[in-house]
Structure formats: C-alpha cells, structure tokens
Amino acid sequence: MPKRRRESEFGLSTLEKVQQTLRRRVCRIEIPPKEIIEENLKEQRQHLVDLISRCAIRGEGNSALVTGPHGSGKTMLVSSVLSEIEANPRVSKNLLIVRLNGLLQTDDKIAIEEITRQLRLDNVVGDKVFGSFAENLAFLLEALKSGSDSAQSILFVLEEFDLFAYHKNQTLLYNLFDICQSAQTPIAVVGITRRLDVVELLEKRVKSRFSHRHIHVFNSLTFPAYKEACQRMLTLPSAVGDAKFVKRWNQSIETLCSNSTVHDVLKKAHQLDKSICGLQSLLLLPICRVSDDHPEIQPVDLLESSKHLAADSKAAMLHGISVLQLSLVIGMKHLTELNDGDPFNFEMVYNEYLKFVQRKAHVVQCFEKPVVLKAFEHLVALEIVKAVDGHGSRTQKEYRAMSLLVTPAQLMDVLNTHPGCPSELKHWASNPLPS
Amino acid sequence: TPRKDIVPHISVRRTPCKTPSKILEHARARLHVSAVPDSLPCREHEFADIYTFVKSKILDGTGGCMYISGVPGTGKTATVTEVMSFLRKEVDEDKDFPEFTLVEMNGMKLTEPHQAFVQILKALTGQKATAEHSSQLLDKYFTSAAGRKQPIVLLVDELDLLWTRKQGVLYSIFDWPSRPKARLIVLAIANTMDLPERIMMNRISSRLGLTRMTFQPYTFKQLQSIVQSRLEGLQAFEPDAIQLAARKVAAVSGDARRALDICRRATELAETAQPTGKGKGPLVGMKHVDRALAEMFSSPKIVAMRQASRQEQIFLRAIATEFKMSGLEEAPFEKVLIQHISICRLEGLHPPVVSEVVAVCRRLASCRLILLESSTNELQQRIRLNVSQDDVMYALRDHGE
C-alpha cells in the first residue's frame, strides 16, 4: 500500500513537471534552442550575430531593423542572439546592452533617463537620475563623445521601434544613428518593429543616417512544417525524468499528430494564422487539461481548444440577451436593410417593434415604452448598437442616430441556437413585416 | 555644485578594438561613414568658397553669415568641419593669422530651441545659466566685446529646428554678427534651399543676407570617385561593382552615406560567400553589390503578402475585388466581409466567423499592408490598401495552395 501511494505521487510529480516544461514553451518564457531558430532564420540570425559581434570586437558602429508581422519571432530572434553573445566572453566583456521599449519609454525624456540609468553614468545615484532633460541629453552625448574607441561598445535594442519615430523631432533616433555613423563610442542600434513601412516614418536626416539594414522575418511555415512544429512543441526532452514515461508520452504525441481530426484542426489554424504564436495559444488549453485522470492529450482537446479560439464574440454576447432585446435587434436589422445601411433612431425601432407585437400579441408580450427604452440602452451598453460618429450628446437619446454592429448572418445564426427564442421571432427575422 | 566638474565617460573596455587584418576588413573600416578622409573628394569648389568667406572675415575682423543648404548626405557638415580644421592648422603655422574661437552646435542635439543660448554661452565662457539669462548675457557679450580680441566662428547645424513661433533664437543668431564689435561669423546649415524665405520673418532673412551656398546631390561619377578614393591602394572591389552601387544611389538620392553603406554591406556578403578570403584579386563583385542593393532598396511588401496565411491572402483579394466593384479606393469592413465569405465559399473553405476575420484584418493593419481608419465601430470601419492593387494581384497570382 505505501509503495503504491509513492508511485502515484511520483506519477503526479512527473505530470507536473511535464506541464511545467510544456507551459514554459507555450507561454514564451523560454527561448527555443539555436538549432530550431536556425532552421528557418539562419541567414537573419547570422547577420545579427555578425553585426553585434563586429560592434563589440572591432568597434564598428551599425544600425539595423528587424521587421516582420506579429508573432513571427522577432523578439525571440534577438534574444536568442543576445544569449549567444552573452555566452561568448570575448564579446560580452566589451559590450553593454541597453534595452528600450517604445511602449514604456513614451517620450525622449524618459528614454534618455532610462539610458543613463542602464549605462550607470555619473549623474545616476541609486535609481535616480539627476538634472533636467536638456542637461541629461547633453550629459549623455558628452559621455558618448568622450570615449572614442577605448570605451566599451554599447548595443541599443529598441523594441516597438515605430513608436520612437513618433517622438518630438525624433531627437533620440537622430542622436543614436548619428553616433553610429561618427567616430565616437562604438554603438549598434537594433530596432524591432512590425510595421513594414517604418523607414517612411523617419525624417529625411534621420533616414539618411540609418544604415538601411533590414532583417525581415516572416511567418514562412508551410503546413507540413507547421505540423512538425506542433509535434516538436509537445514532445518532451529526455531530461524530464522517468524515461519510460517520456517514451510513452512522446509516442502518444506521435499518434496524436497523425490523427485526422488533429490534422483538420491544425490545417484550419494554419490557414487562419501561420505564426507560431497562434499555434501556442491553440496548444495552451490541451496542455492545461493534462491531469491525473487525463494523462494524455486527446484529439478532442485540440478540437475543443480550436472551437474556443474560433468563438464569435458578438454571437456569444447575443446569446445572453432577452427576447425583448432580441426582437429589437431584429427590428434594427430590418431597418438597416430597408434603408440601405442608413442609421436609425430609437423611435423607428420602437415603431417596428410595435408593428410586430400588435400582429403577434398572443406570442410576445407587449412592453411599455420606458421598458423598451431601457432594453435599448442595455444594447447600447453592450455595443451591439452604437451611436453614429458625430451624432453625440446634443440630441435627445430617442432621436440619436444609431447603427447596428451585428451582421444579418450573425443574427440568424444566433436565432437558430438561442435558448427559448419563440419561433415567431425567427419567422419575423427572415421575413420582414409588410408595411 | 560638485557635479560641474565631472567629465562623463563610458566604462573602459577590457580588450582594445581589434585592428583589421584582412583586405576586406580594411576595406570595411575605410568604408565606414565615420572614417571621414582628410580631404573630401568632389567638394573642392565648395571648400574653397567657404574657406575664402571665413578667412576674409577673420582677417578683416568683421562678422557675417553664410547659409549652406543641401539634401542629407551631400557632405555639408564634413566640408565645413574640414574648413575649420584647415584654418586651425593655418593658425598654428602662420604667426600673423589671428586666433579664432570655434563654437559648434546642432539643432537636433537640443531638447528645445532656447537651449541654443545655454550651449553657446557655455562654449564661450564656461558659464552655466538658464536659457533666458544666457540670452541676456550673450547680448551683452556681443555688444561690448570688452577684453576680447578673438573672432568667433559659430557653426549651427540643423538650423530649421531652432525655429520658434516668435523666432527669437534665429533672430538673435543672425543679429549678433551685424553688431559692430561682435566679430562673429555664423555658418548655418540646413536641408532646404528656401528655408529663409519659407519660415523666417523678413527681418531675419534680411539679416541672413545673400551669401548662400547649395550642395548639389552627388552625381554617379562623384559617388564613384568617393568610394574609390576611400579604397585607394586596396584591391577589394571590382570597378564595375562600385559603378553599379554609385549609379543606383545617384538615381535614388545622391546620398554618399547610402553608397558607403551599400559597399560596406557588399564586403560583408562577399566575406560570408568565401570565408577563406585569400586576398587575391578583386573580391567584391557585381553579384554582392546587387544583393546588397536588393536588401536595402527593395520593398518587402510583396514577400509579406506571399508569406501571409491563406485567410489573410483571401482578405486582401476581397479588398481588391470590392474596390474593383465599387470603383472606390476605400471600402467599409462590412462589404469586404461579404466578399471574403463568398471567396471562401468559392474556394471550398469553411468561412470563418466575424471575429476571426476582424483578427485577420487587424493583423494586416498592424504590419501596414492595409490602412484602417481609427474607429471603434468594427463593421463600418473603412479599409484602404497600403500597396497598389496591381501588387496585390501580382503577389497573389498563382499562389493558392
């Protein structure tokens, strides 16, 4: 008896370990190993490694931009390069790294304070930076000018680079690029952005100083590669523990990936979004489902997860509204179709509602006008209807121009699945009342 | 305060920079934009003009202004700095040549136009004061000239950034030289030729005077000789390769930085292409320059469209179809959605739900293949293409899976 208990405990901890490993992968806490990145991005990675190490070893100033759509692994690429660089003592002891993010450093003042703090310059005491903005900038430029090739190289990593281009006069970018291109402290600037037209945002003189090195990263996975990536992401390394368990798990993953349901789910996900990020969010739910009673990932889990991700938010919201509100929405749909997309107001909707209720009074209860207005306002709060731009606060709320934010197809889908929707309502939805 | 005496510095590196050993490394070091040569090729004429202007003013002991304009990367700042170092040398050699003080300033390196006063005062007297106070002190400094004999050369780079609504900074800078005792020579550098007429008030542009100089963009011959002069004595490039880079850059902008960057990138490409690098014969050929040019000049939009997921491509096609039907360059999301769903049906795909299409649309907008009007109203949001319709058709032609 005690032996069996220990075994079960052991099993549990293995599963916990499995979950931990897989979650770290899926939630992007861990940088995937170099080989996996090199499979698709060998050239780009080599370019970055060369660029940074040349800056560190030879003191050559450089600037480059990493561009690519969301989830294509720009940040991953850069952090993988940085971790390799840091492991190389020849490079790392001559290189200081300054990381900035356009979402945090929203103007040059904050950015320059952050740079002086990360470089630990002399006007920094503890975590405080002293001096006015102008003094800080002058101080920083002075510091960067004073050390020519005897100073340590500095690598600036600017995430969300496009946001830096919105700073006033682009002072920070000008100065960074200018130092790159003049014989001062050797620095390299690596910008990360998803905007493909980011260079057009730069001012002429800033653009001229940028060395126009573009490193493009795309979501270039074909479907077989995508499927393989899925399998690799779920496959455990042998280090997790119990060799037998790992072997069994990996076998189960292999059968999972050859399943036809899984194939369909992955195909659909790949058609929608080729990025690894999309795959990761698809796999998160199945991984979290793994437990003692459910020690293996089943195809059903993936199917369910894909359904979760594909849920239509508007339809889900419509499921929760009352029959009165539903009939208002149907009235609005008819009004929109009748008027060819022109906006409507509450009075028109109420009129439409009255027409319906008077004919079918035995099915649907007729509510007072204030009650209907309240229901209407509830719909506004849910943003199922919205006031047309520019027709705001001045008009009375009954006469405010509104437009419907639900497509007819969405509404019909909801009516077919809505619990307790009277059939008269469905009928009305497909056939407008003769006026 | 004790902070005044601090000379800021970046910590010293552990191992010194490696000096280049191979030919390509030498070439790269020389091609770097920061490696400015002692004398700039193809700018002799401009050099002579600026030199005679400054020299005559210094010798006469008078003041004056000069406005220098030209597109970025045409060697304005480099030429002016060269003139200054040449004059400096003359001062050292020639006993009769009067000493002069040089004050350099860059509009882009200031946080605010009025900081210019602070910087000039600090450079002249070492005093530190607020902007307003420094302006008064400088006024006094240039009118009285008590106990001061040296002429001052003030070099203002990126002049257009000193513009304020009242134009006080610009006025002061161009007014000082006309004071009898100031002996101030102002060299102002900016990009646009008509800046004085466009943004300055009449009383400022009249003070600026008519001594103007325009730096023309480099022609391809000049770019070629710039690159060749930097590579003198190094057999690293095929002559045709340099010519290709020079011609391409001259056609686009005439920016010397671009030409140097391209050649530098080409050396890198050549190095990775043949890691042995024996150093015999010309190493960087046409194909390397061509690849570097493609990397720097080509737009990634077509590749981005080709690499987009199936639904994203269908969405782009839906936009193009909708444009063709309506004849407009803009379409509401609702209409595109209808096209999207019908294309999906036509191709035998399960049509995605609205939320998914919205996500697809947002993704395309985040990398700026399409432009979205900022509005919270999803269905009525207007969509425009950021690429031409022909490009969409070209990229997506014969590209269904």
Side-chain angles (χ1 to χ4, degrees):
Chain A
M1 187 68 190
K3 198 181 170 196
R4 255 175 78 191
R5 225 178 90 202
R6 205 181 325 133
E7 236 177 42
S8 80
E9 259 174 20
F10 182 69
L12 189 77
S13 76
T14 317
L15 272 184
E16 271 177 353
K17 262 195 220 160
V18 168
Q19 276 211 345
Q20 205 184 8
T21 331
L22 293 182
R23 276 188 198 165
R24 280 177 67 85
R25 267 187 212 167
V26 169
C27 298
R28 281 160 251 154
I29 298 168
E30 201 175 66
I31 309 164
K34 184 180 156 190
E35 294 74 38
I36 291 180
I37 298 173
E38 282 208 335
E39 215 168 87
N40 290 313
L41 303 170
K42 185 156 191 212
E43 232 166 88
Q44 287 95 326
R45 197 170 182 284
Q46 197 52 46
H47 190 171
L48 259 184
V49 171
D50 283 351
L51 189 138
I52 296 173
S53 43
R54 255 206 311 278
C55 175
I57 296 172
R58 297 187 191 283
E60 186 182 311
N62 255 324
S63 49
L65 269 180
V66 182
T67 35
H70 95 107
S72 51
K74 305 175 288 293
T75 309
M76 177 200 70
L77 178 71
V78 173
S79 27
S80 139
V81 168
L82 288 185
S83 64
E84 183 186 326
I85 291 272
E86 271 162 14
N88 180 356
R90 222 156 58 99
V91 176
S92 61
K93 66 183 176 186
N94 287 323
L95 188 70
L96 297 167
I97 299 176
V98 177
R99 290 164 211 260
L100 301 176
N101 190 322
L103 290 169
L104 299 175
Q105 281 78 43
T106 49
D107 66 23
D108 280 350
K109 186 172 191 242
I110 306 172
I112 281 165
E113 277 185 19
E114 185 62 31
I115 293 171
T116 35
R117 186 177 304 136
Q118 289 193 22
L119 289 177
R120 309 218 62 82
L121 290 181
D122 302 331
N123 60 339
V124 179
V125 176
D127 255 353
K128 283 231 158 56
V129 179
F130 290 100
S132 68
F133 177 31
E135 277 174 346
N136 282 336
L137 178 66
F139 196 85
L140 179 69
L141 293 177
E142 190 63 35
L144 291 172
K145 208 194 268 176
S146 66
S148 46
D149 47 354
S150 65
Q152 279 190 316
S153 306
I154 305 170
L155 170 68
F156 287 89
V157 179
L158 307 180
E159 264 185 84
E160 311 288 345
F161 180 84
D162 48 313
L163 296 178
F164 285 98
Y166 288 111
H167 292 183
K168 191 184 159 234
N169 290 343
Q170 304 184 344
T171 309
L172 179 74
L173 292 184
Y174 177 91
N175 286 310
L176 288 185
F177 287 150
D178 196 47
I179 295 162
C180 279
Q181 300 227 322
S182 54
Q184 301 179 11
T185 303
I187 74 170
V189 180
V190 175
I192 302 176
T193 176
R194 46 166 87 172
R195 284 186 67 158
L196 293 172
D197 60 349
V198 70
V199 186
E200 288 155 38
L201 287 179
L202 298 178
E203 251 191 90
K204 261 196 318 213
R205 49 190 153 218
V206 182
K207 194 171 156 186
S208 166
R209 280 169 177 79
F210 168 54
S211 357
H212 284 251
R213 285 156 187 264
H214 298 282
I215 298 173
H216 294 295
V217 181
F218 291 111
N219 294 318
S220 51
L221 288 182
T222 55
F223 181 64
Y226 187 77
K227 210 170 156 189
E228 210 183 291
C230 171
Q231 186 170 349
R232 193 167 47 210
M233 205 172 283
L234 291 174
T235 306
L236 289 175
S238 50
V240 171
D242 192 4
K244 226 195 228 161
F245 178 84
V246 169
K247 201 176 166 201
R248 207 170 61 227
W249 171 274
N250 287 348
Q251 250 164 19
S252 82
I253 294 301
E254 213 167 300
T255 45
L256 177 80
C257 288
S258 51
N259 184 297
S260 68
T261 318
V262 174
H263 181 90
D264 288 348
V265 167
L266 289 179
K267 184 102 195 166
K268 191 160 170 265
H270 180 253
Q271 276 176 357
L272 204 60
D273 182 3
K274 279 161 112 180
S275 70
I276 289 289
C277 277
L279 179 64
Q280 284 169 329
S281 49
L282 179 71
L283 294 181
L284 184 61
L285 188 73
I287 287 171
C288 292
R289 278 274 174 81
V290 172
S291 69
D292 241 356
D293 318 323
H294 187 87
E296 275 173 10
I297 297 178
Q298 300 293 334
V300 189
D301 295 336
L302 271 168
L303 196 64
E304 208 165 306
S305 165
S306 114
K307 269 195 192 131
H308 259 289
L309 291 178
D312 189 7
S313 54
K314 272 276 152 56
M317 211 132 69
L318 284 174
H319 268 292
I321 64 175
S322 67
V323 172
L324 167 62
Q325 285 163 341
L326 212 51
S327 48
L328 289 182
V329 175
I330 295 172
M332 291 181 225
K333 179 208 148 203
H334 287 323
L335 280 173
T336 316
E337 276 172 358
L338 206 65
N339 300 336
D340 209 22
D342 283 348
F344 48 82
N345 64 24
F346 170 71
E347 287 295 330
M348 291 158 83
V349 178
Y350 183 61
N351 188 36
E352 200 75 4
Y353 169 74
L354 276 187
K355 268 199 285 179
F356 169 68
V357 169
Q358 276 156 8
R359 286 188 200 189
K360 312 279 178 192
H362 55 286
V363 194
V364 187
Q365 198 189 344
C366 179
F367 289 100
E368 299 282 313
K369 195 173 177 183
V371 180
V372 180
L373 182 59
K374 186 74 205 161
F376 185 78
E377 277 172 0
H378 190 206
L379 289 179
V380 174
L382 288 175
E383 291 204 347
I384 289 169
V385 258
K386 199 158 195 274
V388 176
D389 296 338
H391 292 264
S393 46
R394 256 178 299 158
T395 26
Q396 233 177 312
K397 59 186 164 197
E398 288 96 326
Y399 305 107
R400 207 170 288 163
M402 302 293 233
S403 61
L404 185 62
L405 299 191
V406 181
T407 62
Q410 269 175 318
L411 181 61
M412 298 315 275
D413 280 352
V414 169
L415 284 176
N416 288 332
T417 49
H418 193 278
C421 169
S423 56
E424 293 295 330
L425 222 55
K426 278 181 208 168
H427 186 242
W428 180 35
S430 39
N431 310 299
L433 295 169
S435 47
Chain B
T1 55
R3 280 195 287 124
K4 211 165 97 183
D5 301 318
I6 292 174
V7 179
H9 69 283
I10 308 283
S11 44
V12 179
R13 58 193 298 136
R14 307 280 171 75
T15 47
C17 287
K18 243 183 158 181
T19 44
S21 49
K22 290 183 201 150
I23 278 195
L24 279 179
E25 284 164 5
H26 271 294
R28 198 153 51 231
R30 288 208 208 158
L31 283 172
H32 197 277
V33 183
S34 67
V36 186
D38 294 332
S39 86
L40 289 176
C42 311
R43 286 293 179 223
E44 294 83 9
H45 188 65
E46 285 82 359
F47 176 87
D49 275 5
I50 300 173
Y51 174 72
T52 40
F53 174 81
V54 178
K55 191 177 173 185
S56 66
K57 296 283 179 203
I58 291 178
L59 289 177
D60 295 352
T62 53
C65 304
M66 185 174 201
Y67 177 72
I68 299 165
S69 62
V71 290
T74 45
K76 301 179 294 294
T77 312
T79 309
V80 174
T81 353
E82 193 193 338
V83 170
M84 290 306 143
S85 56
F86 200 79
L87 285 170
R88 183 69 63 209
K89 227 190 279 167
E90 207 150 319
V91 170
D92 291 340
E93 284 168 5
D94 192 356
K95 287 279 178 306
D96 296 338
F97 200 88
E99 281 269 349
F100 67 95
T101 319
L102 174 64
V103 180
E104 280 179 278
M105 201 178 74
N106 186 328
M108 265 305 224
K109 298 191 175 169
L110 305 173
T111 54
E112 200 251 344
H114 290 281
Q115 288 293 325
F117 294 132
V118 180
Q119 290 228 334
I120 296 172
L121 184 73
K122 198 168 173 221
L124 285 177
T125 62
Q127 249 177 309
K128 217 171 166 185
T130 62
E132 212 169 317
H133 191 208
S134 347
S135 152
Q136 288 164 359
L137 288 176
L138 281 173
D139 256 345
K140 216 180 285 168
Y141 186 88
F142 285 118
T143 21
S144 69
R148 174 172 69 90
K149 277 177 280 171
Q150 288 187 6
I152 299 164
V153 180
L154 175 62
L155 176 57
V156 187
D157 214 341
E158 312 291 0
L159 181 77
D160 49 327
L161 284 160
L162 298 183
W163 186 87
T164 50
R165 218 161 51 80
K166 284 186 172 173
Q167 310 192 356
V169 184
L170 289 175
Y171 181 81
S172 309
I173 287 177
F174 293 120
D175 187 41
W176 293 329
S178 58
R179 309 260 170 93
K181 286 177 187 164
R183 297 173 74 191
L184 175 70
I185 301 152
V186 176
L187 298 174
I189 304 178
N191 290 143
T192 39
M193 203 158 76
D194 58 346
L195 188 78
E197 284 72 32
R198 208 155 39 85
I199 66 165
M200 292 184 200
M201 292 182 217
N202 286 337
R203 61 165 187 264
I204 300 176
S205 53
S206 94
R207 277 176 172 77
L208 174 57
L210 291 172
T211 326
R212 309 237 175 125
M213 163 164 291
T214 314
F215 278 63
Q216 299 296 340
Y218 288 115
T219 60
F220 99 87
K221 282 225 168 94
Q222 290 172 326
L223 286 174
Q224 202 178 351
S225 65
I226 289 173
V227 176
Q228 272 164 353
S229 78
R230 288 209 178 194
L231 291 173
E232 229 171 67
L234 277 182
Q235 276 294 312
F237 271 72
E238 279 175 24
D240 281 354
I242 297 178
Q243 196 182 108
L244 176 65
R247 277 190 189 269
K248 197 80 176 196
V249 173
V252 175
S253 61
D255 187 334
R257 291 196 188 103
R258 210 51 347 98
L260 293 171
D261 280 335
I262 286 168
C263 292
R264 195 154 56 95
R265 178 71 188 131
T267 60
E268 284 171 23
L269 289 172
E271 202 171 50
T272 43
Q274 39 166 217
T276 47
K278 296 235 172 69
K280 278 176 199 156
L283 292 164
V284 183
M286 292 282 262
K287 59 172 193 262
H288 302 124
V289 172
D290 204 39
R291 258 195 71 196
L293 280 167
E295 259 179 36
M296 287 188 177
F297 281 132
S298 71
S299 160
K301 281 176 181 163
I302 290 190
V303 189
M305 281 191 278
R306 288 223 169 125
Q307 300 282 6
S309 74
R310 189 85 186 274
Q311 292 286 352
E312 286 163 358
Q313 290 179 341
I314 291 177
F315 194 79
L316 286 170
R317 265 164 63 195
I319 296 172
T321 321
E322 179 58 36
F323 283 0
K324 213 174 273 170
M325 278 176 68
S326 66
L328 301 172
E329 291 285 286
E330 199 180 60
F333 179 77
E334 223 171 353
K335 295 263 176 64
V336 179
L337 178 72
I338 293 169
Q339 295 290 350
H340 185 100
I341 288 171
S342 58
I343 293 177
C344 280
R345 293 235 164 87
L346 208 66
E347 304 234 319
L349 294 171
H350 189 72
V353 296
V354 180
S355 294
E356 285 174 324
V357 183
V358 170
V360 164
C361 173
R362 289 282 154 84
R363 277 204 293 273
L364 289 174
S366 83
C367 58
R368 285 299 192 279
L369 283 174
I370 61 175
L371 299 172
L372 279 186
E373 179 193 45
S374 69
S375 157
T376 47
N377 188 343
E378 266 161 19
L379 289 183
Q380 260 108 51
Q381 205 163 39
R382 302 200 153 269
I383 299 173
R384 275 183 296 141
L385 277 179
N386 199 19
V387 279
S388 75
Q389 287 187 44
D390 296 337
D391 281 355
V392 175
M393 287 308 169
Y394 172 72
L396 303 185
R397 187 191 53 188
D398 57 64
H399 210 74
E401 271 170 58

